Amino acid sequence: MLNSRQKVLQVTDELVRVASVVNTSGEINVARYIYQLLQKWTYFQKHPEDVILSQTERDEIERYNVLACVRGTKEPSNRTVILMGHIDTVGVEDFAHLKEMACDPEALMNALQQEQLPELVKEHLDSREWHFGRGVLDMKSGVASHLFLLEHYANHPEELAGNLVLLAECDEEDSSHGVLSALQDLKKWREIHGFEYVALINSDFVAPRYAGDPNRYIYKGTIGKLLPSFFITGAETHVGSAFEGLDPNYLAAELTKQISYNPVLCDEALGELPAPPVSLKQMDLKSSYTVQTALAAYVYFNFFIQSWSPKQVLDKLSEQAEMAFQQALDMLQNRYNTYRERLGEEAQALPWKTRVMTYEQMKQQLDREYGEILEAHMILFKQQLLQDKSLDTRMFACRVVEEEWRWMSDKSPAIILFYSSLYSPRVEVTGKTWDEIRLLQALDEAIQSTQPEYDYPIVTRNFFPYICDMSCVAMSDDESGIQAVRENNPSWGSKHVVCYQDIRDLNVPAINIGPYGYDAHNKYERMEVTYSTEVVPTITNEVIKRLLS
């Protein structure tokens, strides 16, 4: 095992003390801190061009990545391993009265001693084998591990037959502007130095999969994520004449019931099952109180994929939406019949019909009817909408669909399905290429050599189960899958642009060897010190040695 514990823990605390909540100036501060730290190393004083502070592109706020490369001298080789870790964190509001200490691990742990804590949290705190604070787990200890290894090889390039690149990226917790911008820097270095990127090792956190789970996981690839969204229109009516209209909130409720937690929509692949979709927003679009039912509602869901393409997800969710729509209409008709029966009146059929379409299908209808007239109108509309900085990409997309719906000649109730946010592609590392084969072999050997020195099982799985920036370094989708994303995102080309070809151009096999702990996004965030500061850098280093020796 490497003698890394003290140094990695020290650097972790230094990074944690630089608060770097996503979408704040802290992202600038932590990037500059790392950049200035690297500039002090002898290697980078001799090679200042090999460390850069790089501002993100196509971003609404100022923030930076840090990239550094160490070129080995053991023997000539272009083989290059990328060490990647994000330097932003989620917020600290969940710490409540302790939030001023959230980024000071020692002060926080002392304060927690005075708190009423869950049993497991108290056990971990008292053991001193666990380290608490915002970002210690997700994922500044992972970045500290990478820095430890980079410094070693900066001091001993003669041990390296190839090159190491560090990518410390911002904005992982929101929109991945950091890694998407860094693709250009990595491409530039490949052109300048002739780098052959053979593997990427991410260091995002890992956690137990179930209560009592003893395993520490290393992931070969990552899950993909989509944000399928539904614009739902009804037929407005006065509340005193409820059955004369169709409430879009009623349809939205049935849609959420149909999709949320539905195991049918879990994309099983390679023997692994992701979490089911779940609603992240459900709202109507009324701006104020009236006694009229809403004109439209808006719902979107988190959706993980492991083998399905974005096109397949649209097909599956269109089917689910049709089922939900029909179920809602059937229930409404039954309730209307019961209502009329209680009034002593004969049953009557309600006029509503199931109507579901994708955004692409709606656009095709509008293009046939209005052509360039609507296109010109929407260009201007989007330009004006971009001035509203309160709108994120999800609400921007909703407003675009809402505006285009006003142009539809047939405004009978409908559900419009689209994507309203970043598509994070799924990544498989299964041995399809020689680089994948070598990486998997190196990982297996690294675990075997390290396991005897650590008490808990170190286990590999195929898909990192959370959202991470590994999605932006390799592609498993073909062009038709990406086309479905482009054609069904109303923000595409204005509020939201991603060059997926840049990802395809890099296409480097990626694995995740990261710190282990609990509660990454709440006030009890903590890492296990031994695994995170000793095992993680040791296994990572063993992989590097096998790939670059």
Side-chain angles (χ1 to χ4, degrees):
M1 201 87 77
L2 289 175
N3 183 22
S4 54
R5 183 185 184 105
Q6 183 176 353
K7 182 66 173 179
V8 173
L9 193 58
Q10 173 194 329
V11 175
T12 297
D13 282 356
E14 291 171 359
L15 294 177
V16 169
R17 283 194 286 268
V18 184
S20 54
V21 174
V22 68
N23 297 327
T24 71
S25 60
E27 289 189 274
I28 301 174
N29 297 336
V30 73
R32 286 179 175 161
Y33 181 89
I34 294 171
Y35 178 64
Q36 291 165 3
L37 173 69
L38 293 171
Q39 284 183 311
K40 295 175 184 177
W41 294 2
T42 301
Y43 182 91
F44 293 117
Q45 289 178 352
K46 293 179 180 178
H47 306 282
E49 72 281 2
D50 287 343
V51 57
I52 61 173
L53 185 69
S54 180
Q55 186 171 353
T56 54
E57 301 174 349
R58 295 193 293 268
D59 200 349
E60 294 182 349
I61 66 174
E62 180 185 356
R63 50 189 158 195
Y64 297 87
N65 300 315
V66 181
L67 292 94
C69 67
V70 171
R71 284 173 272 181
T73 59
K74 184 177 180 180
E75 62 183 58
S77 175
N78 291 327
R79 293 176 61 80
T80 304
V81 172
I82 302 169
L83 303 178
M84 183 173 78
H86 72 82
I87 53 179
D88 60 319
T89 73
V90 294
V92 297
E93 295 304 316
D94 52 328
F95 283 82
H97 63 288
L98 298 177
K99 72 177 183 178
E100 297 303 321
M101 306 175 194
C103 297
D104 186 339
E106 284 302 323
L108 177 64
M109 288 187 284
N110 289 334
L112 286 173
Q113 292 286 358
Q114 312 306 316
E115 299 286 312
Q116 290 288 331
L117 302 174
E119 183 178 347
L120 183 61
V121 175
K122 181 169 176 52
E123 178 186 327
H124 286 169
L125 181 65
D126 291 342
S127 74
R128 305 302 290 184
E129 171 57 15
W130 292 78
H131 210 59
F132 289 67
R134 174 57 77 235
V136 296
L137 176 63
D138 186 17
M139 58 177 281
K140 290 181 176 179
S141 57
V143 175
S145 172
H146 283 346
L147 286 168
F148 175 85
L149 294 173
L150 189 74
E151 184 174 23
H152 171 80
Y153 286 108
N155 292 332
H156 300 283
E158 73 280 359
E159 297 180 8
L160 202 60
N163 314 286
L164 270 187
V165 167
L166 172 74
L167 167 56
E169 86 275 18
C170 60
D171 189 33
E172 190 268 357
E173 297 290 359
D174 189 349
S175 300
S176 294
H177 282 100
V179 65
L180 291 171
S181 296
L183 295 175
Q184 297 301 319
D185 294 310
L186 293 171
K187 182 178 179 180
K188 186 183 301 181
W189 275 2
R190 182 171 59 190
E191 293 170 353
I192 293 173
H193 302 305
F195 288 164
E196 177 192 352
Y197 298 123
V198 297
L200 181 145
I201 304 174
N202 193 40
S203 57
D204 216 334
F205 80 95
V206 300
R209 296 180 54 240
Y210 52 86
D213 183 1
N215 299 319
R216 277 50 171 164
Y217 294 102
I218 292 173
Y219 292 95
K220 304 172 290 185
T222 186
I223 205 164
K225 177 189 179 295
L226 290 157
L227 197 77
S229 307
F230 298 83
F231 180 83
I232 304 167
T233 69
E236 70 275 18
T237 185
H238 189 282
V239 293
S241 306
F243 285 109
E244 293 181 11
L246 181 57
D247 179 13
N249 287 317
Y250 171 74
L251 294 176
E254 188 65 26
L255 183 69
T256 297
K257 177 184 172 186
Q258 182 68 28
I259 293 176
S260 275
Y261 304 109
N262 189 344
V264 170
L265 297 173
C266 293
D267 176 17
E268 182 177 1
L270 302 178
E272 296 178 14
L273 197 68
V278 66
S279 171
L280 292 176
K281 182 178 281 293
Q282 181 171 323
M283 61 182 289
D284 66 39
L285 299 179
K286 289 177 70 172
S287 59
S288 61
Y289 173 81
T290 70
V291 291
Q292 183 188 58
T293 58
L295 293 171
Y298 184 39
V299 186
Y300 55 70
F301 300 85
N302 185 78
F303 201 105
F304 288 133
I305 54 173
Q306 295 181 162
S307 67
W308 295 340
S309 72
K311 175 65 169 65
Q312 288 175 296
V313 172
L314 288 175
D315 293 341
K316 292 176 185 295
L317 289 180
S318 292
E319 180 181 345
Q320 295 294 319
E322 288 176 358
M323 292 169 60
F325 206 133
Q326 189 58 54
Q327 287 161 190
L329 294 183
D330 290 345
M331 184 186 299
L332 183 64
Q333 184 67 61
N334 289 337
R335 290 178 175 180
Y336 185 47
N337 292 344
T338 301
Y339 177 73
R340 290 187 64 85
E341 182 180 342
R342 293 189 65 183
L343 290 174
E345 299 174 356
E346 291 185 4
Q348 288 185 352
L350 292 169
W352 318 119
K353 304 294 183 184
T354 296
R355 189 181 181 204
V356 175
M357 68 186 83
T358 64
Y359 177 71
E360 182 178 9
Q361 290 168 338
M362 185 182 80
K363 281 282 292 178
Q364 288 170 350
Q365 289 185 29
L366 290 170
D367 287 344
R368 286 193 295 269
E369 191 166 353
Y370 298 104
E372 294 180 358
I373 296 174
L374 177 58
E375 182 180 357
H377 170 78
M378 290 308 301
I379 289 173
L380 180 60
F381 177 81
K382 291 177 184 179
Q383 288 174 347
Q384 294 171 341
L385 203 61
L386 285 170
Q387 304 308 308
D388 186 350
K389 300 303 181 183
S390 69
L391 296 179
D392 63 11
T393 58
R394 293 153 284 273
M395 284 308 301
F396 184 96
C398 176
R399 294 304 180 191
V400 170
V401 177
E402 182 181 37
E403 178 65 18
E404 289 175 326
W405 176 257
R406 293 191 176 104
W407 289 67
M408 290 286 285
S409 54
D410 178 2
K411 291 188 175 63
S412 58
I415 295 177
I416 314 299
L417 167 59
F418 55 97
Y419 294 127
S420 66
S421 188
L422 173 71
Y423 167 46
S424 299
R426 59 195 172 85
V427 176
E428 298 175 358
V429 180
T430 56
K432 300 183 294 295
T433 66
W434 176 238
D435 283 341
E436 287 190 10
I437 292 170
R438 287 196 64 175
L439 176 57
L440 294 175
Q441 182 179 2
L443 177 60
D444 287 343
E445 292 175 359
I447 293 171
Q448 290 171 14
S449 69
T450 308
Q451 181 68 83
E453 301 181 66
Y454 182 66
D455 292 337
Y456 296 97
I458 303 169
V459 176
T460 61
R461 287 179 63 83
N462 290 295
F463 297 102
F464 184 76
Y466 317 113
I467 306 154
C468 79
D469 278 347
M470 283 197 295
S471 287
C472 298
V473 300
M475 289 281 290
S476 297
D477 289 299
D478 60 19
E479 181 55 32
S480 65
I482 300 304
Q483 183 73 11
V485 172
R486 283 196 295 264
E487 297 299 326
N488 287 282
N489 189 325
S491 298
W492 193 269
S494 52
K495 184 79 169 180
H496 181 68
V497 178
V498 176
C499 183
Y500 286 102
Q501 187 58 45
D502 286 344
I503 300 175
R504 201 183 302 279
D505 288 345
L506 185 66
N507 219 38
V508 58
I511 60 175
N512 189 84
I513 307 171
Y516 171 84
Y518 286 75
D519 299 328
H521 285 193
N522 78 36
K523 64 183 177 181
Y524 300 130
E525 178 178 352
R526 60 200 184 276
M527 68 165 180
E528 182 209 315
V529 176
T530 297
Y531 185 83
S532 303
T533 66
E534 297 181 52
V535 177
V536 166
T538 297
I539 294 179
T540 303
N541 190 49
E542 290 296 322
V543 172
I544 292 169
K545 289 194 299 184
R546 283 164 172 79
L547 293 176
L548 302 181
S549 62

mmCIF file of all heavy atoms in Angstrom, residues 243-271:
data_model
loop_
_atom_site.group_PDB
_atom_site.id
_atom_site.type_symbol
_atom_site.label_atom_id
_atom_site.label_comp_id
_atom_site.label_asym_id
_atom_site.label_seq_id
_atom_site.Cartn_x
_atom_site.Cartn_y
_atom_site.Cartn_z
ATOM 1 N N PHE A 243 -66.696 19.200 -15.417
ATOM 2 C CA PHE A 243 -66.695 18.156 -16.440
ATOM 3 C C PHE A 243 -66.759 18.703 -17.865
ATOM 4 O O PHE A 243 -66.677 17.944 -18.828
ATOM 5 C CB PHE A 243 -67.848 17.181 -16.200
ATOM 6 C CG PHE A 243 -67.604 16.233 -15.062
ATOM 7 C CD1 PHE A 243 -68.301 16.366 -13.874
ATOM 8 C CD2 PHE A 243 -66.662 15.214 -15.174
ATOM 9 C CE1 PHE A 243 -68.081 15.492 -12.815
ATOM 10 C CE2 PHE A 243 -66.437 14.340 -14.128
ATOM 11 C CZ PHE A 243 -67.137 14.478 -12.935
ATOM 12 N N GLU A 244 -66.884 20.010 -18.005
ATOM 13 C CA GLU A 244 -66.883 20.596 -19.343
ATOM 14 C C GLU A 244 -65.460 20.815 -19.865
ATOM 15 O O GLU A 244 -65.273 21.167 -21.037
ATOM 16 C CB GLU A 244 -67.652 21.919 -19.335
ATOM 17 C CG GLU A 244 -69.143 21.733 -19.081
ATOM 18 C CD GLU A 244 -69.904 23.051 -19.102
ATOM 19 O OE1 GLU A 244 -69.302 24.071 -19.522
ATOM 20 O OE2 GLU A 244 -71.085 23.061 -18.713
ATOM 21 N N GLY A 245 -64.477 20.631 -19.019
ATOM 22 C CA GLY A 245 -63.089 20.790 -19.438
ATOM 23 C C GLY A 245 -62.272 19.557 -19.081
ATOM 24 O O GLY A 245 -62.801 18.546 -18.607
ATOM 25 N N LEU A 246 -60.981 19.652 -19.325
ATOM 26 C CA LEU A 246 -60.065 18.567 -18.967
ATOM 27 C C LEU A 246 -58.842 19.195 -18.298
ATOM 28 O O LEU A 246 -58.079 19.928 -18.942
ATOM 29 C CB LEU A 246 -59.650 17.773 -20.205
ATOM 30 C CG LEU A 246 -58.709 16.578 -19.956
ATOM 31 C CD1 LEU A 246 -59.319 15.587 -18.971
ATOM 32 C CD2 LEU A 246 -58.370 15.876 -21.271
ATOM 33 N N ASP A 247 -58.702 18.931 -17.027
ATOM 34 C CA ASP A 247 -57.645 19.537 -16.222
ATOM 35 C C ASP A 247 -56.295 18.894 -16.546
ATOM 36 O O ASP A 247 -56.118 17.687 -16.349
ATOM 37 C CB ASP A 247 -57.991 19.341 -14.741
ATOM 38 C CG ASP A 247 -56.937 19.905 -13.802
ATOM 39 O OD1 ASP A 247 -56.056 20.655 -14.272
ATOM 40 O OD2 ASP A 247 -57.001 19.586 -12.597
ATOM 41 N N PRO A 248 -55.310 19.665 -17.019
ATOM 42 C CA PRO A 248 -54.002 19.075 -17.318
ATOM 43 C C PRO A 248 -53.293 18.550 -16.070
ATOM 44 O O PRO A 248 -52.466 17.640 -16.163
ATOM 45 C CB PRO A 248 -53.227 20.226 -17.969
ATOM 46 C CG PRO A 248 -53.892 21.463 -17.477
ATOM 47 C CD PRO A 248 -55.342 21.109 -17.336
ATOM 48 N N ASN A 249 -53.616 19.110 -14.904
ATOM 49 C CA ASN A 249 -53.035 18.573 -13.669
ATOM 50 C C ASN A 249 -53.508 17.144 -13.406
ATOM 51 O O ASN A 249 -52.765 16.321 -12.864
ATOM 52 C CB ASN A 249 -53.402 19.462 -12.478
ATOM 53 C CG ASN A 249 -52.643 20.771 -12.483
ATOM 54 O OD1 ASN A 249 -51.441 20.798 -12.739
ATOM 55 N ND2 ASN A 249 -53.336 21.867 -12.216
ATOM 56 N N TYR A 250 -54.742 16.883 -13.771
ATOM 57 C CA TYR A 250 -55.296 15.531 -13.634
ATOM 58 C C TYR A 250 -54.527 14.556 -14.533
ATOM 59 O O TYR A 250 -54.154 13.456 -14.115
ATOM 60 C CB TYR A 250 -56.781 15.582 -13.995
ATOM 61 C CG TYR A 250 -57.475 14.252 -14.122
ATOM 62 C CD1 TYR A 250 -57.788 13.492 -12.999
ATOM 63 C CD2 TYR A 250 -57.845 13.770 -15.376
ATOM 64 C CE1 TYR A 250 -58.443 12.271 -13.126
ATOM 65 C CE2 TYR A 250 -58.501 12.558 -15.512
ATOM 66 C CZ TYR A 250 -58.796 11.807 -14.380
ATOM 67 O OH TYR A 250 -59.445 10.605 -14.514
ATOM 68 N N LEU A 251 -54.262 14.979 -15.770
ATOM 69 C CA LEU A 251 -53.473 14.141 -16.674
ATOM 70 C C LEU A 251 -52.045 13.975 -16.162
ATOM 71 O O LEU A 251 -51.464 12.886 -16.237
ATOM 72 C CB LEU A 251 -53.451 14.760 -18.073
ATOM 73 C CG LEU A 251 -54.777 14.825 -18.831
ATOM 74 C CD1 LEU A 251 -54.579 15.551 -20.162
ATOM 75 C CD2 LEU A 251 -55.343 13.431 -19.061
ATOM 76 N N ALA A 252 -51.479 15.060 -15.642
ATOM 77 C CA ALA A 252 -50.108 15.001 -15.135
ATOM 78 C C ALA A 252 -49.992 14.024 -13.971
ATOM 79 O O ALA A 252 -49.009 13.281 -13.855
ATOM 80 C CB ALA A 252 -49.650 16.392 -14.711
ATOM 81 N N ALA A 253 -51.003 14.025 -13.107
ATOM 82 C CA ALA A 253 -50.977 13.119 -11.959
ATOM 83 C C ALA A 253 -50.996 11.661 -12.416
ATOM 84 O O ALA A 253 -50.265 10.816 -11.883
ATOM 85 C CB ALA A 253 -52.165 13.409 -11.046
ATOM 86 N N GLU A 254 -51.809 11.361 -13.406
ATOM 87 C CA GLU A 254 -51.872 9.989 -13.910
ATOM 88 C C GLU A 254 -50.576 9.612 -14.619
ATOM 89 O O GLU A 254 -50.108 8.469 -14.521
ATOM 90 C CB GLU A 254 -53.058 9.831 -14.861
ATOM 91 C CG GLU A 254 -53.337 8.403 -15.295
ATOM 92 C CD GLU A 254 -53.768 7.491 -14.152
ATOM 93 O OE1 GLU A 254 -54.327 8.000 -13.153
ATOM 94 O OE2 GLU A 254 -53.545 6.261 -14.252
ATOM 95 N N LEU A 255 -49.986 10.568 -15.320
ATOM 96 C CA LEU A 255 -48.717 10.311 -16.000
ATOM 97 C C LEU A 255 -47.617 10.001 -14.984
ATOM 98 O O LEU A 255 -46.832 9.062 -15.168
ATOM 99 C CB LEU A 255 -48.330 11.522 -16.847
ATOM 100 C CG LEU A 255 -47.062 11.381 -17.683
ATOM 101 C CD1 LEU A 255 -47.268 10.368 -18.807
ATOM 102 C CD2 LEU A 255 -46.653 12.731 -18.264
ATOM 103 N N THR A 256 -47.562 10.783 -13.915
ATOM 104 C CA THR A 256 -46.563 10.536 -12.876
ATOM 105 C C THR A 256 -46.787 9.177 -12.222
ATOM 106 O O THR A 256 -45.832 8.433 -11.964
ATOM 107 C CB THR A 256 -46.609 11.653 -11.818
ATOM 108 O OG1 THR A 256 -46.261 12.893 -12.441
ATOM 109 C CG2 THR A 256 -45.638 11.382 -10.682
ATOM 110 N N LYS A 257 -48.032 8.850 -11.973
ATOM 111 C CA LYS A 257 -48.350 7.532 -11.409
ATOM 112 C C LYS A 257 -47.877 6.414 -12.336
ATOM 113 O O LYS A 257 -47.381 5.376 -11.880
ATOM 114 C CB LYS A 257 -49.860 7.432 -11.186
ATOM 115 C CG LYS A 257 -50.336 6.081 -10.671
ATOM 116 C CD LYS A 257 -51.855 6.057 -10.587
ATOM 117 C CE LYS A 257 -52.370 4.658 -10.270
ATOM 118 N NZ LYS A 257 -53.853 4.592 -10.315
ATOM 119 N N GLN A 258 -47.984 6.623 -13.635
ATOM 120 C CA GLN A 258 -47.625 5.590 -14.606
ATOM 121 C C GLN A 258 -46.109 5.421 -14.735
ATOM 122 O O GLN A 258 -45.612 4.305 -14.923
ATOM 123 C CB GLN A 258 -48.211 5.946 -15.977
ATOM 124 C CG GLN A 258 -47.945 4.928 -17.073
ATOM 125 C CD GLN A 258 -48.680 3.618 -16.843
ATOM 126 O OE1 GLN A 258 -49.741 3.597 -16.222
ATOM 127 N NE2 GLN A 258 -48.118 2.519 -17.331
ATOM 128 N N ILE A 259 -45.356 6.517 -14.620
ATOM 129 C CA ILE A 259 -43.927 6.472 -14.920
ATOM 130 C C ILE A 259 -43.055 6.345 -13.672
ATOM 131 O O ILE A 259 -42.110 5.551 -13.646
ATOM 132 C CB ILE A 259 -43.522 7.719 -15.740
ATOM 133 C CG1 ILE A 259 -44.172 7.661 -17.127
ATOM 134 C CG2 ILE A 259 -42.006 7.829 -15.863
ATOM 135 C CD1 ILE A 259 -43.927 8.885 -17.984
ATOM 136 N N SER A 260 -43.352 7.121 -12.630
ATOM 137 C CA SER A 260 -42.481 7.118 -11.454
ATOM 138 C C SER A 260 -42.435 5.738 -10.797
ATOM 139 O O SER A 260 -43.469 5.096 -10.608
ATOM 140 C CB SER A 260 -42.971 8.150 -10.431
ATOM 141 O OG SER A 260 -42.474 9.428 -10.716
ATOM 142 N N TYR A 261 -41.219 5.304 -10.478
ATOM 143 C CA TYR A 261 -40.966 4.034 -9.781
ATOM 144 C C TYR A 261 -41.382 2.807 -10.587
ATOM 145 O O TYR A 261 -41.503 1.713 -10.029
ATOM 146 C CB TYR A 261 -41.675 4.012 -8.417
ATOM 147 C CG TYR A 261 -41.307 5.152 -7.513
ATOM 148 C CD1 TYR A 261 -42.221 6.177 -7.241
ATOM 149 C CD2 TYR A 261 -40.047 5.226 -6.935
ATOM 150 C CE1 TYR A 261 -41.883 7.235 -6.414
ATOM 151 C CE2 TYR A 261 -39.700 6.283 -6.104
ATOM 152 C CZ TYR A 261 -40.620 7.283 -5.847
ATOM 153 O OH TYR A 261 -40.281 8.326 -5.029
ATOM 154 N N ASN A 262 -41.582 2.948 -11.879
ATOM 155 C CA ASN A 262 -42.058 1.834 -12.696
ATOM 156 C C ASN A 262 -40.882 0.939 -13.099
ATOM 157 O O ASN A 262 -40.044 1.334 -13.912
ATOM 158 C CB ASN A 262 -42.760 2.374 -13.942
ATOM 159 C CG ASN A 262 -43.471 1.281 -14.722
ATOM 160 O OD1 ASN A 262 -43.221 0.089 -14.527
ATOM 161 N ND2 ASN A 262 -44.362 1.671 -15.617
ATOM 162 N N PRO A 263 -40.805 -0.289 -12.570
ATOM 163 C CA PRO A 263 -39.668 -1.165 -12.886
ATOM 164 C C PRO A 263 -39.634 -1.603 -14.344
ATOM 165 O O PRO A 263 -38.584 -2.031 -14.834
ATOM 166 C CB PRO A 263 -39.864 -2.357 -11.946
ATOM 167 C CG PRO A 263 -41.314 -2.341 -11.595
ATOM 168 C CD PRO A 263 -41.737 -0.903 -11.608
ATOM 169 N N VAL A 264 -40.763 -1.490 -15.040
ATOM 170 C CA VAL A 264 -40.777 -1.805 -16.470
ATOM 171 C C VAL A 264 -39.831 -0.874 -17.227
ATOM 172 O O VAL A 264 -39.297 -1.230 -18.282
ATOM 173 C CB VAL A 264 -42.215 -1.686 -17.022
ATOM 174 C CG1 VAL A 264 -42.236 -1.769 -18.540
ATOM 175 C CG2 VAL A 264 -43.098 -2.778 -16.419
ATOM 176 N N LEU A 265 -39.590 0.303 -16.666
ATOM 177 C CA LEU A 265 -38.757 1.306 -17.320
ATOM 178 C C LEU A 265 -37.321 1.297 -16.807
ATOM 179 O O LEU A 265 -36.585 2.263 -17.005
ATOM 180 C CB LEU A 265 -39.385 2.690 -17.135
ATOM 181 C CG LEU A 265 -40.765 2.846 -17.784
ATOM 182 C CD1 LEU A 265 -41.395 4.178 -17.418
ATOM 183 C CD2 LEU A 265 -40.675 2.698 -19.300
ATOM 184 N N CYS A 266 -36.926 0.217 -16.145
ATOM 185 C CA CYS A 266 -35.531 0.043 -15.727
ATOM 186 C C CYS A 266 -34.776 -0.695 -16.832
ATOM 187 O O CYS A 266 -35.153 -1.808 -17.211
ATOM 188 C CB CYS A 266 -35.448 -0.753 -14.427
ATOM 189 S SG CYS A 266 -36.116 0.103 -12.995
ATOM 190 N N ASP A 267 -33.727 -0.090 -17.318
ATOM 191 C CA ASP A 267 -32.972 -0.600 -18.463
ATOM 192 C C ASP A 267 -31.882 -1.567 -17.994
ATOM 193 O O ASP A 267 -30.747 -1.172 -17.749
ATOM 194 C CB ASP A 267 -32.370 0.590 -19.218
ATOM 195 C CG ASP A 267 -31.491 0.177 -20.381
ATOM 196 O OD1 ASP A 267 -31.588 -0.984 -20.817
ATOM 197 O OD2 ASP A 267 -30.713 1.028 -20.854
ATOM 198 N N GLU A 268 -32.228 -2.835 -17.880
ATOM 199 C CA GLU A 268 -31.260 -3.837 -17.433
ATOM 200 C C GLU A 268 -30.226 -4.099 -18.523
ATOM 201 O O GLU A 268 -30.561 -4.253 -19.698
ATOM 202 C CB GLU A 268 -31.969 -5.143 -17.079
ATOM 203 C CG GLU A 268 -31.022 -6.215 -16.555
ATOM 204 C CD GLU A 268 -31.736 -7.486 -16.138
ATOM 205 O OE1 GLU A 268 -32.977 -7.539 -16.269
ATOM 206 O OE2 GLU A 268 -31.045 -8.422 -15.686
ATOM 207 N N ALA A 269 -28.960 -4.159 -18.116
ATOM 208 C CA ALA A 269 -27.880 -4.469 -19.058
ATOM 209 C C ALA A 269 -26.714 -5.077 -18.295
ATOM 210 O O ALA A 269 -26.412 -4.660 -17.169
ATOM 211 C CB ALA A 269 -27.427 -3.212 -19.799
ATOM 212 N N LEU A 270 -26.081 -6.051 -18.883
ATOM 213 C CA LEU A 270 -24.916 -6.725 -18.296
ATOM 214 C C LEU A 270 -25.205 -7.208 -16.875
ATOM 215 O O LEU A 270 -24.342 -7.180 -15.997
ATOM 216 C CB LEU A 270 -23.700 -5.792 -18.311
ATOM 217 C CG LEU A 270 -23.271 -5.266 -19.689
ATOM 218 C CD1 LEU A 270 -22.096 -4.308 -19.559
ATOM 219 C CD2 LEU A 270 -22.922 -6.420 -20.623
ATOM 220 N N GLY A 271 -26.455 -7.631 -16.655
ATOM 221 C CA GLY A 271 -26.837 -8.175 -15.361
ATOM 222 C C GLY A 271 -27.071 -7.142 -14.281
ATOM 223 O O GLY A 271 -27.247 -7.506 -13.110
#
